[in-house]
Amino acid sequence: MPRLCQFLKHFVLPSREILELSFLGPFENSGSMWVSFKRSISSGGRRPKKKIYHRVYELDRVMDLQKKPSLIFHLKSIIQSEKHQSVLLRDLEKQVGFVHKWNLMGVIEKYPSIFYVGGGANGKPPFVMLTQKAVKVACEEDEARHLMEPILVKNLRKLLMISVDCRVPLEKIEFIENELGLPPDFKQSVIPKYPQYFSVKDVNGKACLHLENWDSSLAVTNREERLANQGVLGVNPPRKVRISKDGNFLGPHAFKMCFAAGFRPNMSYLSELEKWQRMEFPSPYLNARRFDIADPKARKRVVGVLHELLSLTIEKRLTSAQLDAFHSEFMLPSRLLLCLVKHHGIFYITNKGARGTVFLKEAYDGTRLKDKCPLLLFYDKFVALCGRREMLSNDISSSELLT
């Protein structure tokens, strides 16, 4: 059985007659998946033509670009957690382990514009701290966190509204707290401030975050907001309008398609896609228990749920393990990988990094995330201190870094 990385290289895209995938189990905690597939028997004994799962190299590169910044921010948080805003190099191993210590040592050596190493003379042990310029930029994090709070509260409420019982175990929210942009102490710093929206209750021995009040004005998906801005929502397109070759269709029930550069859909594929794009489906904010999963409209609704979940994250992506953690709360399909691969114009699965990661394609322009929240703009500004201009948002000018 090939692993996910091999699977994505050689996978034959599902169509009505080609593939039948079966899971040996749901996504594992490690983020890796084992799948098996079988070819249908073609007439004449000929081998069926392969249809490759086309890579999106820009999104693969996003995972490579985040490796060094993640180490930088990890070391920054360690330094800022210390009383004297510095940490002895010999103590790094105690906090992060032997292997990770040397990864951080490499970052310290490579980015002297962010990290200053002192000591090592007169019997003084060497230590690392932030440079003055890095400290100045780091002070802006509090302001970014302040601007993020109303966004976080809104997204948390929407997350609970999508769940079948309007509640989610706190441990699962902690599992995606970084992806949601929540601070590490959100259980003490955010939730108690909004008793009108949230409460924590014990359910079967687990602490769960409950939604206190339903707000219909929030029950609007990111997809619907985009269509409303385009003036498409609520307008039924004429039957004569055909779907374009890029898979896009201006209709109130359509999803934005972003096919890989090498993918060339034939007329049969586009015809089926047009029927799917025209099909009405229930809102992700309606209770999933009301619908039969065998209904095509309910299956399209699942795509809407996945789309909305990814839209609520700050970088519009989640790992496979994180998606799998919400199977019961959002009644996701057991064959989740099949659903994601089938709708490869909407989602992209990369095997780059330590875990399989699912991207919302429409949120990216190449390697650049189109819309960035205040916290991501701060991250960009801090990382840009090391000279990596490709990590710098278009919304931040170079002159800002010099002041």
Side-chain angles (χ1 to χ4, degrees):
M1 295 290 181
R3 284 194 178 275
L4 175 62
C5 59
Q6 297 167 326
F7 166 75
L8 290 179
K9 290 180 181 177
H10 306 292
F11 180 62
V12 179
L13 282 176
S15 64
R16 288 176 298 175
E17 72 277 5
I18 297 178
L19 284 182
E20 177 182 340
L21 280 83
S22 60
F23 284 96
L24 299 183
F27 293 134
E28 301 294 338
N29 290 335
S30 65
S32 62
M33 292 163 287
W34 291 80
V35 297
S36 64
F37 68 92
K38 62 182 181 180
R39 304 179 193 272
S40 64
I41 301 174
S42 62
S43 59
R46 292 177 297 176
R47 186 184 297 272
K49 184 179 178 180
K50 282 188 176 181
K51 296 182 181 178
I52 305 300
Y53 183 90
H54 294 275
R55 285 194 173 280
V56 180
Y57 293 101
E58 293 87 352
L59 295 182
D60 287 340
R61 189 163 181 261
V62 169
M63 302 305 296
D64 292 330
L65 290 174
Q66 76 166 5
K67 291 178 183 178
K68 283 295 188 293
S70 64
L71 291 173
I72 289 172
F73 284 110
H74 188 192
L75 183 55
K76 168 185 165 292
S77 64
I78 292 174
I79 293 172
Q80 291 183 317
S81 66
E82 296 293 326
K83 182 178 179 181
H84 300 292
Q85 300 292 290
S86 66
V87 60
L88 296 177
L89 294 181
R90 68 189 181 193
D91 292 340
L92 272 179
E93 186 173 336
K94 299 177 185 177
Q95 298 196 40
V96 301
F98 178 77
V99 175
H100 197 48
K101 168 195 170 181
W102 290 106
N103 291 333
L104 295 180
M105 291 291 284
V107 167
I108 293 170
E109 183 179 3
K110 191 171 183 179
Y111 303 117
S113 58
I114 299 179
F115 303 108
Y116 168 77
V117 178
N122 302 322
K124 220 177 163 184
F127 62 90
V128 61
M129 60 188 297
L130 296 177
T131 63
Q132 289 185 354
K133 183 177 284 190
V135 170
K136 184 178 179 180
V137 176
C139 289
E140 299 178 21
E141 183 172 4
D142 289 339
E143 176 62 21
R145 292 283 183 186
H146 177 71
L147 294 174
M148 281 295 296
E149 189 164 304
I151 300 173
L152 299 178
V153 171
K154 176 184 175 181
N155 288 349
L156 262 183
R157 294 170 68 191
K158 289 169 74 77
L159 186 76
L160 296 176
M161 288 170 65
I162 297 173
S163 63
V164 290
D165 295 312
C166 292
R167 67 169 182 251
V168 174
L170 274 174
E171 62 183 17
K172 296 190 178 183
I173 294 178
E174 289 178 289
F175 191 34
I176 61 170
E177 64 179 28
N178 291 331
E179 286 70 22
L180 292 176
L182 292 167
D185 62 342
F186 76 94
K187 290 187 290 185
Q188 293 78 36
S189 62
V190 177
I191 293 175
K193 289 173 64 174
Y194 300 93
Q196 69 274 32
Y197 300 142
F198 311 115
S199 64
V200 179
K201 299 177 183 177
D202 185 273
V203 178
N204 298 324
K206 287 185 178 181
C208 294
L209 186 64
H210 282 247
L211 181 71
E212 285 297 296
N213 293 293
W214 181 274
D215 188 345
S216 298
S217 66
L218 294 181
V220 180
T221 64
N222 179 270
R223 182 194 68 87
E224 290 171 320
E225 289 178 354
R226 176 179 61 83
L227 292 177
N229 292 334
Q230 295 175 345
V232 177
L233 199 65
V235 179
N236 290 318
R239 286 288 176 184
K240 292 182 180 180
V241 176
R242 299 287 296 179
I243 196 168
S244 61
K245 289 186 178 181
D246 62 4
N248 286 300
F249 178 79
L250 286 180
H253 311 294
F255 286 82
K256 172 73 174 176
M257 293 289 165
C258 305
F259 290 129
F263 181 67
R264 299 290 183 269
N266 56 31
M267 292 305 297
S268 175
Y269 184 97
L270 290 175
S271 177
E272 292 296 321
L273 182 58
E274 180 181 350
K275 292 178 183 178
W276 187 83
Q277 289 278 51
R278 288 182 181 273
M279 185 193 305
E280 297 182 16
F281 66 99
S283 169
Y285 288 95
L286 295 177
N287 196 310
R289 291 197 180 97
R290 295 169 53 181
F291 312 108
D292 180 6
I293 193 59
D295 186 343
K297 293 182 179 180
R299 291 200 295 269
K300 187 173 180 180
R301 178 190 175 276
V302 168
V303 176
V305 170
L306 292 170
H307 187 286
E308 188 69 355
L309 280 177
L310 293 173
S311 297
L312 294 178
T313 64
I314 59 175
E315 293 185 285
K316 316 307 177 191
R317 66 178 188 243
L318 287 170
T319 67
S320 55
Q322 288 169 330
L323 278 176
D324 182 60
F326 291 93
H327 258 287
S328 56
E329 284 73 24
F330 303 112
M331 296 189 71
L332 300 179
S334 58
R335 294 187 174 189
L336 186 53
L337 177 62
L338 177 59
C339 177
L340 293 168
V341 172
K342 183 177 181 181
H343 299 285
H344 59 99
I346 305 171
F347 311 111
Y348 178 67
I349 311 170
T350 179
N351 61 337
K352 294 289 185 178
R355 300 173 294 272
T357 302
V358 181
F359 283 84
L360 183 61
K361 278 186 166 184
E362 68 183 67
Y364 284 81
D365 179 12
T367 60
R368 186 181 68 88
L369 185 64
K370 293 178 182 177
D371 298 315
K372 295 193 176 186
C373 63
L375 188 60
L376 290 182
L377 293 177
F378 162 74
Y379 287 162
D380 281 352
K381 190 170 183 179
F382 190 87
V383 171
L385 290 171
C386 70
R388 291 184 59 163
R389 295 297 171 180
E390 69 271 22
M391 298 297 297
L392 185 60
S393 168
N394 291 342
D395 300 319
I396 300 177
S397 64
S398 301
S399 60
E400 287 185 65
L401 301 177
L402 302 176
T403 57

